[in-house]
Structures are given as C-alpha cells and as structure tokens.
Amino acid sequence: MGREFIELFDEWSSSYDETVAGESLEYKEVFHKYDHILETVVNKSGNVVLEFGVGTGNLSEKLLLKGKTVIGIEPSKGMREKALKRNQKLVLHDGDFLSFPKLDKEIDTIVSTYAFHHLTDNEKDAAVGHYSQLLKKDGKIVFADTAFLHESDKKERHEKVKKQGYLNLLKDLQTEYYTTLGVLEEIFKKHDFDISFEKLNEYVWLMEAVKK
C-alpha cells in the first residue's frame, strides 16, 4: 500500500521542494508547470478536503489559503515534519491511501498529487472502492499523477528516458506502479464514479471523478 517507499521519502524530504521547483534536470519534465497543477486541483476541490500523500505540504498550503478545511494523510515522518512546520493549521495524520484514522468530518473531496502510483492496480481498486463509501453523491476525487495512455505509451516513455540518460527516473518509472488511463477508467467506473482525464504536462494527468 505504498509504505514500501517510506524510507525513500524520508530521505527525499530534505530536497523534495528543490526537485519540484525544477532544479533536478532529470525530473524537470515530470514537475513541469507544478504550481499550475496544484492550482488546478485546488480549483476543482470542494470545502472539506481529504488529502493523501501530503509530502512537504505544497498542495495543503494552497488549499488552506483558499479557506478550505484540510485533513492530511502522510506515511513519511520526514515529510510530515516538513508539512507541519510549513502549515501549523494543518490537521495531519500518519496513514496512507488504504489505512488512515476514522474521520470526524464529512468530506466532499479527496485529493492527491504525485502519489497514487505508489499503489498497485489492485490496491488502487481497493482504495477507490473505500472512497466510494466515504463520499456522497457528487462528491469528488481529484488526483494529479503520472499515467500513460496505454502500455505502448509506457514502453515508449521508458525508451525515451533511457536515451536521455535519466537512469534514476527510469528506475522510478519501472519500479513504482504507474498505470494506464484505461485501467484507471475501469476502476473508477466500477465504483460508481464518472471519470474524466486532462493532460497537464508530458507525464501528469488530472483525474476528476464524480460520485454518481
């Protein structure tokens, strides 16, 4: 359920903000228009938001500035410390996409950026099934994450990254559980969501799912 990557994120917490700011050439395309991606998620969110994979709190900060109530879930201790130092009003829990404390508020939106790929496709299915029970009609899931049009697109991306010499990025793309739009569409529809996709950069797609 993504917790196999916690050690990596504890280590990355000290330099994560520099990476998303584009200082890493290898990940520059992945985080291209990062601020716009976060703003897009915020603008599509309701008033009471459950955020998975808070990281250092970049999205949380924007949500809070818009006056939204945010309940954050983050499994990495290093990331949680960074996020709480930055956003002292943030309600933040140790947890992950599948395992988190019982909520004391009714939520209308579930958000996440650059994190859903930490789950296998079966785990993604289980998570969306759970969220379908949490959300009422017209409740939303708004995720932004790397995904691929189809398996051929994924293979072509791997080859391109390999030719660019971006071996760390290649390892990431091959190790984590990046999936296709077809798989994601099937999962969301199975659990009574209308789903739409919007491409935000060469890697990242916005997934907006509305509970029927």
Side-chain angles (χ1 to χ4, degrees):
M1 60 186 69
R3 286 188 172 262
E4 60 267 42
F5 304 108
I6 289 178
E7 187 176 339
L8 168 67
F9 278 91
D10 281 340
E11 292 174 6
W12 198 11
S13 63
S14 61
S15 60
Y16 182 80
D17 288 332
E18 287 76 15
T19 303
V20 301
E23 292 184 19
S24 167
L25 181 63
E26 200 162 349
Y27 284 85
K28 199 171 184 106
E29 277 192 319
V30 178
F31 291 105
H32 181 55
K33 298 198 294 187
Y34 179 69
D35 202 57
H36 170 70
I37 290 169
L38 299 189
E39 292 287 355
T40 302
V41 173
V42 171
N43 291 336
K44 290 182 176 291
S45 298
N47 294 317
V48 185
V49 181
L50 176 63
E51 181 187 358
F52 287 103
V54 166
T56 58
N58 294 316
L59 178 60
S60 306
E61 183 176 51
K62 289 182 179 296
L63 289 163
L64 289 167
L65 284 171
K66 284 289 178 76
K68 300 178 188 295
T69 298
V70 184
I71 303 163
I73 308 293
E74 171 57 55
S76 162
K77 185 173 182 287
M79 292 290 192
R80 286 198 306 274
E81 288 173 351
K82 285 272 187 179
L84 287 171
K85 187 175 181 181
R86 176 188 212 147
N87 305 304
Q88 295 178 3
K89 292 181 180 179
L90 177 63
V91 176
L92 185 56
H93 300 287
D94 180 3
D96 56 56
F97 282 102
L98 287 167
S99 178
F100 51 94
K102 187 175 180 179
L103 305 177
D104 60 2
K105 285 186 174 66
E106 187 177 293
I107 56 168
D108 53 49
T109 313
I110 298 172
V111 302
S112 181
T113 53
Y114 292 89
F116 201 42
H117 62 269
H118 298 320
L119 302 186
T120 65
D121 287 349
N122 285 337
E123 288 170 341
K124 290 182 182 77
D125 185 12
V128 174
H130 186 29
Y131 308 156
S132 181
Q133 301 302 311
L134 284 178
L135 293 167
K136 290 189 173 181
K137 185 179 182 295
D138 295 325
K140 294 169 74 172
I141 296 174
V142 185
F143 287 172
D145 197 14
T146 292
F148 298 95
L149 285 169
H150 37 61
E151 287 298 325
S152 296
D153 180 35
K154 186 192 289 189
K155 288 176 184 175
E156 287 170 14
R157 178 61 58 175
H158 288 183
E159 285 302 314
K160 179 180 178 181
V161 169
K162 189 175 181 179
K163 286 178 182 175
Q164 289 174 312
Y166 297 159
L167 300 185
N168 289 323
L169 176 55
L170 179 62
K171 183 182 177 184
D172 175 23
L173 293 174
Q174 292 176 333
T175 302
E176 299 214 39
Y177 311 116
Y178 297 97
T179 195
T180 64
L181 299 191
V183 169
L184 290 165
E185 183 175 23
E186 187 177 318
I187 288 171
F188 282 104
K189 284 186 172 180
K190 174 183 173 182
H191 297 291
D192 296 321
F193 286 95
D194 286 323
I195 177 75
S196 62
F197 300 98
E198 179 186 348
K199 194 169 187 180
L200 299 180
N201 70 23
E202 283 301 304
Y203 285 84
V204 174
W205 289 82
L206 180 79
M207 309 161 207
E208 184 177 6
V210 180
K211 179 75 186 300
K212 289 196 254 185

